[in-house]
Amino acid sequence: MFAPKSRTSDALSDMSSAIFNDEVMKAKLPSRVYARFKEALVTGAPTSEEDQKAIAEAIFKWARELGAVSFAHWFFPMRGGSGAYGSMCGACKMDTLIDLDWSSSEATKPFQACLPYERLFQGETDGSSFPNGGLRATHTAAAFTTWDRSSPCFVMDKVLRIPCAFVTHLGACIDDKTPLLRSNDAVNKQGLRLLKNIKIGTDAKAIHS
């Protein structure tokens, strides 16, 4: 008889090993930052600049441990005129994990490996092609990606992927994710109002749909 070979790494054994999920976040972030971040997911409050810096630094160190060299805002634009359903064809706005060292006194700033906190939480890209091109004037063509904090970042193919919403400069959604997030907010708001009025679960802070 032959002894069974030891099992090597596969998709199932590696499952969820490269996701900045709640367990990883709790281990990597200072306890107070973690608590405020989780509270913000319930209340919808913005993340403070100080906490953004701490979160970006923690995610950068974690992603580098997994071999990431780039990061990408990952979103699902509407593609009504292309024949492709939006969720079938996601888009990435990709950057390298570097920035200028602005603390340097040199006129030509040196580069440093980092994840700027501003670029973790928000990005800017071209939105003039969505949903089917030619619908907006050039001077209003800017669109913005913003990290959906309820969706954890993950590393794949040496790229830190950040799940994002995608909106125009006036806040109009041009992706498939933003309507779902806004629907969740509406259900949460009116659901809590209903619970208060029927006096059931009046201590609830959020409703998840």
Side-chain angles (χ1 to χ4, degrees):
M1 296 183 65
F2 294 97
K5 294 181 179 180
S6 58
R7 186 169 58 186
T8 57
S9 175
D10 58 25
L12 293 182
S13 61
D14 291 341
M15 183 171 56
S16 299
S17 61
I19 301 178
F20 198 78
N21 55 23
D22 185 71
E23 180 182 356
V24 176
M25 182 180 293
K26 191 172 185 178
K28 298 292 185 180
L29 291 180
S31 57
R32 291 184 179 180
V33 175
Y34 170 80
R36 286 193 293 266
F37 184 85
K38 297 295 288 185
E39 180 67 19
L41 293 182
V42 175
T43 64
T47 302
S48 69
E49 184 174 336
E50 180 182 355
D51 285 356
Q52 286 184 25
K53 291 179 180 179
I55 293 167
E57 182 179 356
I59 291 179
F60 171 73
K61 290 180 179 178
W62 167 81
R64 289 293 294 136
E65 290 171 359
L66 295 175
V69 294
S70 302
F71 70 99
H73 279 198
W74 180 46
F75 56 100
F76 293 88
M78 294 179 184
R79 299 180 186 271
S82 68
Y85 185 70
S87 59
M88 294 166 53
C89 192
C92 286
K93 173 65 167 61
M94 189 175 296
D95 291 284
T96 307
L97 286 167
I98 59 173
D99 197 10
L100 296 175
D101 181 4
W102 298 103
S103 65
S104 171
S105 60
E106 297 296 322
T108 303
K109 308 297 182 186
F111 282 105
Q112 62 177 348
C114 65
L115 173 59
Y117 71 93
E118 309 96 325
R119 291 159 68 189
L120 167 63
F121 283 83
Q122 182 175 309
E124 182 177 356
T125 186
D126 175 42
S128 60
S129 301
F130 306 106
N132 61 1
L135 294 183
R136 293 185 292 123
T138 301
H139 68 282
T140 61
F144 299 91
T145 52
T146 179
W147 177 23
D148 169 20
R149 296 174 298 176
S150 65
S151 297
C153 305
F154 61 96
V155 173
M156 185 175 73
D157 297 330
K158 296 186 178 182
V159 179
L160 169 66
R161 296 184 180 237
I162 304 162
C164 288
F166 182 50
V167 297
T168 70
H169 72 303
L170 293 177
C173 61
I174 47 178
D175 67 333
D176 291 332
K177 190 180 184 90
T178 302
L180 298 177
L181 295 174
R182 291 178 177 175
S183 295
N184 282 339
D185 286 344
V187 169
N188 179 67
K189 179 180 179 180
Q190 299 305 324
L192 291 175
R193 179 169 166 261
L194 174 63
L195 290 178
K196 182 178 180 180
N197 279 279
I198 63 177
K199 295 181 172 53
I200 295 177
T202 54
D203 60 339
K205 294 185 177 180
I207 293 178
H208 301 286
S209 59

